[in-house]
Amino acid sequence: MGYQTDFIGYLQIEPPLGPRERSFINRISGSPFLQESGGALRVADEDDEVLRELTSGAPRGWSNWTSCPQGCCLSYDGGDKANHMAPWLKFLMATFLVRGAAAEGIEGFSCDHVLSGMVVGSRRDTRELYSITVRDNEVEVELLWPGNPKWSDYPRLAYQTEIDRFRSWVADRKARE
C-alpha cells in the first residue's frame, strides 16, 4: 500500500514548450483529471509509437507532472499517489526538455529548455514536508520538516479533506459523462 503526497508550486520553463512537447508531457501524466477521451476508444497514432520508445526506461509509477496550456511551467497534475515526482522530473528533463535529451532531433522538440522553480510536497502518512527545487536545470530534493510515522493514524488535515472532496467531485462528474 502506498501513500499520498500533495504538492504546491511550479517550475518555470524558458523558452516555453511547443505544442508537441506539451502534448507528450501531458500524455504520460498519471492524472485522471487530464484524460479527455470521454470514454471513447482512441486509435493509436504515430506519436504513440514515438512515446512508447522514448519512455521505455521511465521510472516506476507514473508521471504526475503536467504542462500548463501556455507551456511556460510544469506543476503537479493533482493525481493520486504522486510518490515519484523527483525521478520523473529528472526523466522528463533528460528525455524531452534539456540539451542532449533523448528527443533531440525529433520534429517538434527543441530540447533547449531551462527549468527553475520549486514544488513542495507534503506526505499524508507522516506529514513530512520536502521541496523539489530546480535552478537552471539542476534538481535538488531537500527535507524541510521530518514526518512522524505515528501521525498516519491521525485524521486528515483540513486541506486534505478539501482536496479529497474535489477529487471525488471530479470522479463523480466524469462517471456521469
Side-chain angles (χ1 to χ4, degrees):
M1 180 160 179
Y3 57 88
Q4 176 68 31
T5 305
D6 299 307
F7 292 90
I8 188 167
Y10 63 93
L11 306 175
Q12 183 177 344
I13 304 172
E14 288 290 333
L17 300 173
R20 194 164 191 212
E21 293 167 317
R22 286 192 316 268
S23 172
F24 272 50
I25 297 286
N26 292 343
R27 248 171 136 160
I28 61 175
S29 171
S31 177
F33 303 118
L34 297 177
Q35 306 304 319
E36 298 175 6
S37 67
L41 291 176
R42 187 177 61 79
V43 177
D45 60 18
E46 180 184 317
D47 281 351
D48 289 321
E49 187 60 37
V50 173
L51 194 55
R52 225 181 333 273
E53 186 177 320
L54 287 170
T55 59
S56 64
R60 61 185 285 227
W62 50 82
S63 172
N64 285 103
W65 291 99
T66 187
S67 166
C68 70
Q70 297 79 19
C72 63
C73 66
L74 287 180
S75 64
Y76 170 50
D77 68 7
D80 200 21
K81 304 289 187 227
N83 303 330
H84 305 286
M85 293 288 279
W88 267 99
L89 175 60
K90 291 174 183 177
F91 175 80
L92 293 175
M93 292 171 70
T95 304
F96 301 109
L97 302 174
V98 302
R99 294 208 186 284
E104 214 164 50
I106 296 175
E107 184 181 337
F109 288 88
S110 64
C111 302
D112 66 347
H113 305 286
V114 177
L115 282 72
S116 296
M118 179 185 284
V119 175
V120 176
S122 174
R123 281 184 58 159
R124 290 219 182 167
D125 60 343
T126 64
R127 298 184 182 167
E128 172 185 286
L129 292 173
Y130 65 94
S131 65
I132 301 170
T133 304
V134 182
R135 290 181 183 89
D136 296 325
N137 294 338
E138 294 295 321
V139 179
E140 178 185 336
V141 179
E142 180 182 4
L143 178 65
L144 301 174
W145 194 257
N148 186 331
K150 71 179 178 185
W151 291 343
S152 64
D153 295 329
Y154 288 11
R156 292 177 295 173
L157 297 171
Y159 81 89
Q160 296 167 337
T161 301
E162 289 306 311
I163 289 171
D164 293 344
R165 187 181 323 214
F166 176 73
R167 282 193 178 117
S168 187
W169 176 81
V170 169
D172 290 347
R173 186 171 173 182
K174 286 196 173 281
R176 283 185 261 133
E177 288 178 353

